[in-house]
Amino acid sequence: MSESIQAKGHKTKAGDKVPVFEKISYGIGLASDHFATVSIMGFLMAFFTDFLNAGIKASIVGAAIAVARLWDAFTDPAAGRISDGCRAKWGRRRPFIFFGSLSMGLFFPVIWMVPQTWSAFAINTWLFITVLVFYTLYSIFSVPYEALGAELTPDYRERTSIFVVRTYVQQVYTLFLYWMMPIAMALATLPHVAGEVEGVRMVSWFIGGVIIVAGIFPSFFCKERYKKIAEKEDHLSFGETCKALLGNKPLLIVIGTICFYLFSIMLSMNLAYFVNTYYVFEGDTLQGTTLSAIDGTFRIFIAIGAAFAIKQLADRIDKHKLLIGCIIILIVGFAGTYFTTLPGRPWLTLVFKPFISIGEVGFWVLVMSLRADVCDWDEFKTGTRNEGMIAAITNWVNKIAITLALALGGVMLEHVIKFDSNIDKPARAAIEQQAEMEWNALPEEEKRVEEDKVYENTWAIVKDIGGQILKFGAQEEVPGVTFEDYKKNLEQKEIMKRNDSGVMQRLRALYTLPQVVALVICFFILIRYPLNSKKMAEIREELEARRGVAK
C-alpha cells in the first residue's frame, strides 16, 4: 500500500469507529484527572506558603511532592501490571478507574483541612502524609484510564479523532477549572468566610465531587476492545516487560517529549500565581488569580478551533510531523510572553497566549495518539499487550518531570528569585497595630464598616461571588475603606518592600524562558520518531494475521 494512500486516502473501517458518546465518556474521565492534578498544583504552593501564614517554606512543599513522586515509582508500575493482568468480568481497566476516582474524590478535601493552629512541624507532617496518600489513589485511577485510551480502536486516524473529542470535552470543564482559585479567593472576601484558607476548603468539596462523577463515565460507558485478545496472550515477566519497554525507541521518544513539555508547563504554572499577583498586580490576590482565570477562559475558545484544525491536518499529515509544528508554535508563544508580561498591564499579558493555546491542544491530541500507536509497536515486538505498563512508565516519568518543576520552582522562588511573601508574627502584629491606629485616625467619611451579609438563597451567594470576580481590572470608586482592606494594603506594601525590582525581573524571566529551552529539546527529540502512517498500517496487518481483529 502506497504512502500517499495511507496519508490521504485512508478510510476508517466501520468496525474501527468509536461511537461519539463513547468518545465523550472517555473525554469526561479526563476531568477526574485534571480537577485532581491541576487543582492540587494550582492550590498547594499558595495555600501552604502564603495562605496559612505558618512559615512553611516553598522548598518544603516541593519536597512533599518529590517524596510522592518517588513513591509513584512503586505504585504506578504496580497499578499498570495489576491492570494488565486483571481478568475481571468488568474488564482490565474499568474497575480501577471507578474505584480510583471515587477514593480520590473523597480524599481531596482532606488535604486542605489541616488546622491552622498547629505548629509548622505538624503542618509539614500533614502535608507529606496527605499528598502521599492522594497520589497513591491517583495512580489507581490514572494508569488504567490512560491505558484505556489505547484500547478504544486499532485505527491510526480514529485514535486522533478520539483525542480530538477528548479535547472538546476538556475545554468545557476547563472553563470551570480555571476559575477554581479566583472563586476560592472571592469566597474568601465574604464576611462569613474565614479568609483564603476557608475559601480553598469550600471549593475543594466541589472539586472532589467532580472527580467522582467524571470517573463514572469511562468506567461504565467505554469498551475495552483488546480485552479478549489480552486474555489469550502469554504474559512476560515483570522484568522482561520492563526490559522490552526500555528498549522501545518510539516509546522513549514519546515519553521524553511529554516529559520535557510537562516540565516547562508546570514550572510556568508553579510561578503563575506569584507573577500575576505580585509582579502584574503588586500584591492583589483576587486580581492576580482572576487574571489567570481570564487567561484560561480566553484560550478555551481558541483551543476548540485549534482541535478541529488539528483533526483536519492529521488526516493529511503524519502525526509526528504535525506535532513538531505545534512545538514550534509553543516556543513562539512562551518567548513572546516574556516581553508582554509587564506591571500594571494585565491585558498585554494575554497577547501571545493564543499561540500557547494552539500549541497545547495540538501537542496533547497528537502525542496521546502517538502513544496508542506505540502500544501496537510494543505488541508487534513482544507478542503481548502492555498498555497498562506503558501508561505506568509514561505516567511515572511524567510525574518526575512535574515534581522537578515543582521542586525547582520552590527552590528558584526561595533561593534564586529570592521572593519572600512571609510576614512573621511580630511584623504582622505591628502592621495590625499600625493599621488600627491609622484607620481610627481617618475622618468618619473615609471609613467604611461592612455588615455581615444575609443571603436569601444560594443564587444570591453566587451573584455576590460573580460580582467580586467581575471587578477585575476596575478601579471601582467605593466610599470609604474597611479596616481589613486597610490592613491588607499595609501587608501587601510590606511584602512588596521586601522584594525589590531585581526580584521581580528574575520572577518574570524564570516564568517563561526555561520553557523555551525545554521545548527546543522536545523538537530535537521528536525529529527522530520512526513510526509514520505507512509503517503503522504494516504493523496492524501483521498483528491481525497473528492474533485476529480487535473487537
Side-chain angles (χ1 to χ4, degrees):
M1 189 175 291
S2 71
E3 187 172 356
S4 61
I5 293 176
Q6 285 299 319
K8 299 180 181 179
H10 177 87
K11 297 293 183 182
T12 301
K13 299 176 182 177
D16 293 342
K17 291 183 178 180
V18 179
V20 173
F21 181 71
E22 187 176 346
K23 292 178 183 177
I24 293 172
S25 296
Y26 181 68
I28 292 174
L30 192 63
S32 285
D33 186 306
H34 282 188
F35 266 83
T37 57
V38 175
S39 295
I40 199 170
M41 295 302 177
F43 285 133
L44 202 68
M45 188 68 73
F47 183 86
F48 281 93
T49 65
D50 200 13
F51 300 162
L52 283 179
N53 293 318
I56 307 300
K57 294 185 178 296
S59 56
I60 295 295
V61 179
I65 299 293
V67 170
R69 291 288 79 89
L70 291 174
W71 176 240
D72 285 339
F74 300 97
T75 58
D76 278 2
R81 185 67 175 176
I82 293 170
S83 178
D84 281 341
C86 181
R87 297 295 182 266
K89 179 181 178 181
W90 281 78
R92 300 188 297 161
R93 317 298 180 196
R94 297 187 297 162
F96 297 98
I97 294 171
F98 177 76
F99 174 77
S101 61
L102 177 64
S103 56
M104 187 168 55
L106 292 173
F107 191 79
F108 184 81
V110 176
I111 300 170
W112 321 104
M113 298 303 165
V114 55
Q116 291 176 263
T117 56
W118 280 9
S119 67
F121 175 79
I123 292 175
N124 287 336
T125 302
W126 178 283
L127 169 65
F128 274 78
I129 292 174
T130 54
V131 168
L132 189 67
V133 172
F134 176 78
Y135 277 107
T136 300
L137 300 175
Y138 174 69
S139 292
I140 295 172
F141 165 82
S142 65
V143 171
Y145 173 76
E146 292 297 341
L148 179 63
E151 299 185 55
L152 297 179
T153 180
D155 186 78
Y156 180 81
R157 304 295 181 193
E158 185 70 359
R159 283 172 175 164
T160 301
S161 177
I162 289 169
F163 290 102
V164 166
V165 172
R166 188 170 86 161
T167 298
Y168 291 146
V169 176
Q170 180 183 349
Q171 304 317 309
V172 175
Y173 69 73
T174 298
L175 179 62
F176 298 96
L177 184 58
Y178 279 125
W179 287 95
M180 290 297 97
M181 178 65 96
I183 287 174
M185 296 304 97
L187 284 168
T189 67
L190 299 180
H192 62 283
V193 177
E196 291 95 343
V197 170
E198 190 64 26
V200 170
R201 288 172 177 170
M202 293 174 70
V203 169
S204 73
W205 289 104
F206 172 77
I207 293 172
V210 172
I211 292 171
I212 294 171
V213 173
I216 290 173
F217 282 84
S219 57
F220 279 83
F221 303 117
C222 288
K223 181 180 179 181
E224 299 181 23
R225 285 170 171 77
Y226 287 88
K227 178 176 176 289
K228 293 183 179 180
I229 288 175
E231 288 175 350
K232 298 175 183 178
E233 292 177 338
D234 294 328
H235 283 275
L236 300 175
S237 67
F238 180 78
E240 289 172 334
T241 301
C242 290
K243 183 179 179 181
L245 294 179
L246 291 174
N248 187 326
K249 179 181 175 181
L251 174 62
L252 296 180
I253 290 174
V254 168
I255 289 176
T257 303
I258 298 175
C259 180
F260 279 101
Y261 173 78
L262 273 178
F263 175 83
S264 68
I265 294 301
M266 288 303 170
L267 189 61
S268 173
M269 181 182 294
N270 198 26
L271 297 177
Y273 164 78
F274 298 94
V275 170
N276 290 336
T277 298
Y278 292 102
Y279 184 68
V280 178
F281 281 110
E282 298 185 346
D284 191 320
T285 302
L286 180 57
Q287 296 270 46
T289 55
T290 301
L291 176 59
S292 296
I294 289 176
D295 170 21
T297 304
F298 174 61
R299 285 196 266 165
I300 283 173
F301 298 101
I302 297 171
I304 293 172
F308 177 80
I310 291 295
K311 174 63 174 68
Q312 302 307 309
L313 291 171
D315 288 339
R316 296 166 174 80
I317 304 171
D318 276 331
K319 289 180 275 190
H320 74 285
K321 294 179 180 177
L322 198 54
L323 181 55
I324 290 172
C326 292
I327 295 292
I328 294 172
I329 293 172
L330 282 167
I331 291 171
V332 172
F334 278 110
T337 299
Y338 171 79
F339 296 100
T340 56
T341 302
L342 299 171
R345 308 281 297 276
W347 299 112
L348 187 62
T349 66
L350 304 177
V351 170
F352 277 90
K353 296 305 173 72
F355 289 91
I356 297 176
S357 179
I358 294 169
E360 282 180 346
V361 168
F363 181 91
W364 286 115
V365 166
L366 296 165
V367 83
M368 290 294 100
S369 185
L370 289 181
R371 191 175 70 172
D373 295 339
V374 167
C375 293
D376 288 350
W377 172 260
D378 175 65
E379 184 187 8
F380 179 71
K381 291 293 185 179
T382 66
T384 60
R385 299 293 300 184
N386 295 303
E387 298 97 336
M389 282 295 291
I390 288 174
I393 291 175
T394 307
N395 277 13
W396 183 70
V397 174
N398 294 342
K399 289 173 185 177
I400 291 296
I402 294 171
T403 300
L404 289 175
L406 282 172
L408 183 59
V411 171
M412 286 195 314
L413 198 62
E414 188 175 337
H415 299 291
V416 179
I417 299 170
K418 296 183 179 178
F419 181 85
D420 181 14
S421 64
N422 287 317
I423 303 176
D424 57 30
K425 290 182 179 179
R428 195 172 293 278
I431 289 173
E432 184 163 3
Q433 185 177 12
Q434 177 187 351
E436 186 174 0
M437 182 178 64
E438 294 179 2
W439 188 78
N440 286 331
L442 291 174
E444 289 301 319
E445 62 270 17
E446 295 183 16
K447 292 191 288 188
R448 178 163 53 92
V449 178
E450 285 190 345
E451 297 180 358
D452 286 351
K453 299 178 182 179
V454 178
Y455 299 100
E456 296 180 358
N457 49 48
T458 304
W459 176 242
I461 298 176
V462 172
K463 288 195 295 183
D464 193 5
I465 295 172
Q468 294 279 348
I469 292 172
L470 291 174
K471 292 177 184 177
F472 170 76
Q475 301 298 321
E476 184 182 17
E477 292 295 333
V478 179
V481 59
T482 66
F483 172 73
E484 287 299 322
D485 287 342
Y486 195 93
K487 184 178 71 170
K488 186 174 182 180
N489 184 55
L490 290 180
E491 290 174 349
Q492 290 171 348
K493 286 181 178 179
E494 177 63 24
I495 291 172
M496 296 306 296
K497 190 189 302 180
R498 297 182 180 194
N499 298 281
D500 58 26
S501 60
V503 171
M504 292 302 161
Q505 289 304 320
R506 290 194 293 272
L507 183 62
R508 174 195 179 200
L510 292 173
Y511 173 58
T512 54
L513 299 185
Q515 290 83 320
V516 175
V517 174
L519 288 165
V520 169
I521 295 173
C522 287
F523 173 85
F524 285 106
I525 291 175
L526 203 56
I527 59 177
R528 300 175 64 84
Y529 186 76
L531 302 180
N532 55 26
S533 56
K534 180 180 180 180
K535 182 66 176 177
M536 290 308 303
E538 294 171 354
I539 289 171
R540 178 179 179 179
E541 186 177 353
E542 172 63 24
L543 288 176
E544 291 182 348
R546 290 184 197 172
R547 42 73 167 159
V549 178
K551 298 180 180 179

